[in-house]
C-alpha cells in the first residue's frame, strides 16, 4: 500500500513533505523542552487551571480581569496562586465528637475606616475596575495592600493585634452612602464539630465570600447564609425589605458565614475561593472538613448593621441589588494574639468578647488585658 502511494506522488512533492515533517518535529521538541513537566493533581485536589486561562478567567462575579498575568506584591508572577510557606501537611480531618460546649467563639469588633472603589484581592493595583467597598479594620487597605503593608498599618478593631482587612460593597440610600456606625461584630467561630482541632489563620490568607453576580436563589441558598436581611420583626429577606420600622434603634442587619476548611497549600487561588470550602455535614450535629481541605480554621461570620430604615425602595448596594452582597477577608492578625484568642476561646469552648473574656465563665479569665493586648 505504501509503495502504491509513493509512486502516485511526484518526487518534488515528497521532498517538500519530508522537509515539513522535520520542521514540525523540531518545533514539537522545542516546545516540550521549554514547557514545565505536567504534574498529576493530588487526589481530591481541584483540577489545575492553565496559566493562560488564569489571567483571563472571570473573577467570581466581578468584571472580567485584564488578559494576561497581573503581578502584585504578594503574587509577583501574577498567576493567582499564592503558596503557603511552609504548607500545612499531614492533617487528617477529625470525625471525633468532643466534650459538649454550646459556644466556641470570640468577637472581633471592628469599625469602618473608609470607602473606595478598589479591591486588593480581586484587582490588586487597580483603581478602575471595582465597585465601591466599605472597609473595616485595617486603616491602610487600598488597591496595593499586601501582607506586609497591612502588618505595618493601624486598625479600627478593638484589639490592636487585629490588623486584618474586612470589606463589603458599600450600601446607598439613593445617592447617600450609608456606613455602619461603631464597632461591627465579626465572629470567629468553630465551623467544625470538633472545635478542639481549629487552628489560627495563616498570615496572608485571603478569600471572597459570595459573589456580586449570584442570583437571588444562590444568595438564599448560599452555605454561609444565616437568616437573610433583618429589620424589626422581619426576617429571611433575600432582597432589601420594602420598608423597615421607623424608629431610632431599628437598623438593617445581615449575617453571613465564611468557609472554614483550608487546603493547607494556598493563601489565595485565582478565583479567591478554591483554597477554602465549607465543612461537610456527616450527620446530625457533625460537621467535618473534607479530605481535600483538611485544615480547620475559624469560621468568620459578618454581622453587619446599617443605620437605615423607613422606606427602603431607594436602598441598594454598590454591587447591585440586595442579593449581590458578598465580602472579603485578608488576614493580618498578629500571630501571637490570634493564637491566644483561638486557643482560649474556640479550642477552650468559651463565648468570648473582643478581649477573649467569657462573662458566663469568669473563672476562665481573659486572653487579653484591659487594653485588648497580650498580657
Amino acid at each position: 500500500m505504501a509503495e502504491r502511494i509513493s509512486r502516485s506522488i511526484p518526487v518534488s512533492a515528497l521532498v517538500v513533505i519530508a522537509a515539513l515533517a522535520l520542521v514540525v518535529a523540531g518545533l514539537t521538541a522545542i516546545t516540550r523542552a521549554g514547557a514545565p513537566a505536567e504534574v498529576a493533581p493530588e487526589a481530591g485536589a481541584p483540577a489545575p487551571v492553565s496559566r493562560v486561562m488564569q489571567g483571563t478567567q472571570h473573577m467570581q462575579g466581578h468584571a472580567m480581569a485584564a488578559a494576561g498575568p497581573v503581578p502584585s506584591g504578594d503574587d509577583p508572577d501574577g498567576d493567582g496562586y499564592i503558596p503557603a510557606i511552609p504548607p500545612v501537611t499531614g492533617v487528617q480531618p477529625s470525625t471525633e465528637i468532643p466534650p459538649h460546649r454550646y459556644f466556641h467563639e470570640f468577637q472581633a469588633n471592628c469599625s469602618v475606616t473608609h470607602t473606595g472603589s478598589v479591591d486588593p484581592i480581586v484587582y490588586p493595583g487597580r483603581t478602575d475596575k471595582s465597585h465601591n467597598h466599605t472597609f473595616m479594620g485595617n486603616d491602610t487597605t487600598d488597591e496595593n495592600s499586601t501582607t506586609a503593608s497591612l502588618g505595618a498599618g493601624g486598625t479600627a478593631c478593638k484589639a490592636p493585634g487585629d490588623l486584618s482587612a474586612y470589606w463589603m460593597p458599600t450600601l446607598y440610600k439613593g445617592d447617600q452612602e450609608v456606613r455602619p456606625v461603631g464597632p461591627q461584630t465579626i465572629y470567629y467561630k468553630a465551623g467544625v464539630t470538633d472545635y478542639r482541632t481549629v487552628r489560627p489563620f495563616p498570615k496572608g490568607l485571603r478569600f471572597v465570600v459570595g459573589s456580586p453576580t449570584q442570583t437571588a436563589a444562590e444568595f438564599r441558598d448560599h452555605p454561609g447564609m444565616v437568616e437573610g436581611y433583618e429589620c424589626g420583626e422581619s426576617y429571611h429577606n433575600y432582597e432589601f425589605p420594602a420598608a423597615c420600622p421607623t424608629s431610632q434603634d431599628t437598623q438593617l442587619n445581615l449575617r453571613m458565614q465564611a468557609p472554614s476548611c483550608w487546603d493547607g497549600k494556598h493563601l489565595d487561588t485565582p478565583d479567591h475561593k478554591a483554597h477554602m470550602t465549607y465543612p461537610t455535614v456527616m450527620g446530625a450535629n457533625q460537621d467535618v472538613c473534607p479530605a481535600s481541605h483538611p485544615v480547620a480554621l475559624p469560621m468568620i461570620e459578618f454581622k453587619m448593621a446599617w443605620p437605615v430604615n423607613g422606606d427602603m425602595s431607594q436602598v441598594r448596594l454598590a454591587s447591585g441589588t440586595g442579593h449581590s452582597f458578598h465580602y472579603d477577608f485578608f488576614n493580618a492578625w498578629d500571630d501571637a494574639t490570634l493564637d491566644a484568642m483561638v486557643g482560649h476561646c474556640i479550642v477552650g469552648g468559651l463565648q468570648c468578647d473582643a478581649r477573649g473574656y467569657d462573662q458566663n465563665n469568669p473563672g476562665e479569665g481573659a486572653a487579653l488585658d484591659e487594653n485588648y493586648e497580650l498580657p
Side-chain angles (χ1 to χ4, degrees):
M1 180 68 179
E3 183 180 358
R4 285 200 302 272
I5 294 174
S6 63
R7 286 177 179 175
S8 66
I9 301 175
V11 173
S12 59
L14 290 172
V15 172
V16 172
I17 291 172
L20 287 173
L22 288 172
V23 171
V24 171
L27 288 175
T28 302
I30 292 172
T31 301
R32 287 177 176 167
E38 292 291 332
V39 179
E42 296 182 16
V49 181
S50 74
R51 290 181 181 262
V52 174
M53 289 302 295
Q54 287 165 9
T56 58
Q57 68 179 341
H58 199 281
M59 293 292 103
Q60 288 296 315
H62 290 259
M64 185 71 74
V70 182
S72 66
D74 286 341
D75 181 20
D77 64 0
D79 70 350
Y81 289 99
I82 301 177
I85 303 174
V88 176
T89 59
V91 176
Q92 294 295 322
S94 174
T95 58
E96 293 185 23
I97 304 298
H100 176 69
R101 294 288 188 276
Y102 192 77
F103 294 104
H104 12 70
E105 65 184 40
F106 68 88
Q107 295 182 20
N109 296 140
C110 303
S111 298
V112 172
T113 55
H114 59 288
T115 60
S117 296
V118 297
D119 188 324
I121 293 179
V122 179
Y123 296 112
R126 302 296 296 268
T127 59
D128 58 347
K129 287 287 186 181
S130 176
H131 50 251
N132 197 270
H133 287 105
T134 294
F135 293 90
M136 296 171 289
N138 199 293
D139 58 16
T140 68
T141 313
D142 63 15
E143 68 278 7
N144 297 311
S145 289
T146 62
T147 305
S149 72
L150 292 176
T155 185
C157 298
K158 284 187 177 179
D162 186 4
L163 294 166
S164 300
Y166 310 85
W167 65 95
M168 59 192 175
T170 298
L171 186 85
Y172 293 91
K173 188 168 186 178
D175 294 328
Q176 179 86 29
E177 182 182 286
V178 180
R179 299 186 183 187
V181 177
Q184 299 299 293
T185 300
I186 301 168
Y187 289 106
Y188 283 60
K189 301 181 175 184
V192 293
T193 299
D194 194 352
Y195 56 85
R196 302 168 302 180
T197 65
V198 176
R199 62 180 70 196
F201 289 118
K203 185 71 69 68
L205 181 78
R206 67 209 72 184
F207 53 76
V208 179
V209 182
S211 168
T213 60
Q214 63 206 352
T215 65
E218 288 170 336
F219 181 58
R220 181 195 64 214
D221 299 331
H222 192 279
M225 180 52 62
V226 180
E227 291 184 336
Y229 291 103
E230 307 170 0
C231 66
E233 298 300 317
S234 178
Y235 303 93
H236 303 291
N237 300 292
Y238 302 102
E239 298 293 357
F240 296 126
C244 289
T246 304
S247 62
Q248 187 174 6
D249 59 350
T250 298
Q251 300 190 83
L252 179 69
N253 298 283
L254 179 66
R255 290 186 291 158
M256 192 171 185
Q257 298 173 343
S260 59
C261 297
W262 178 45
D263 67 5
K265 303 172 185 177
H266 303 100
L267 301 178
D268 197 11
T269 45
D271 69 353
H272 316 297
K273 296 184 178 185
H275 55 310
M276 300 292 298
T277 194
Y278 288 86
T280 299
V281 178
M282 296 190 66
N285 299 317
Q286 188 179 22
D287 298 329
V288 178
C289 283
S292 61
H293 296 71
V295 185
L297 300 178
M299 181 192 73
I300 286 181
E301 179 183 312
F302 266 37
K303 184 180 180 182
M304 301 293 104
W306 292 272
V308 61
N309 54 39
D311 178 13
M312 302 283 285
S313 62
Q314 298 300 308
V315 173
R316 61 183 175 86
L317 292 169
S319 54
T321 60
H323 69 252
S324 72
F325 181 83
H326 57 287
Y327 65 86
D328 301 55
F329 169 68
F330 193 146
N331 176 46
W333 273 88
D334 168 69
D335 289 333
T337 305
L338 181 59
D339 185 65
M341 293 290 283
V342 170
H344 185 69
C345 301
I346 297 180
V347 176
L350 300 175
Q351 184 184 26
C352 295
D353 60 15
R355 275 190 63 206
Y357 176 75
D358 183 349
Q359 63 180 357
N360 296 313
N361 292 280
E364 298 292 337
L368 308 179
D369 64 18
E370 62 274 10
N371 296 314
Y372 299 89
E373 297 179 323
L374 287 172

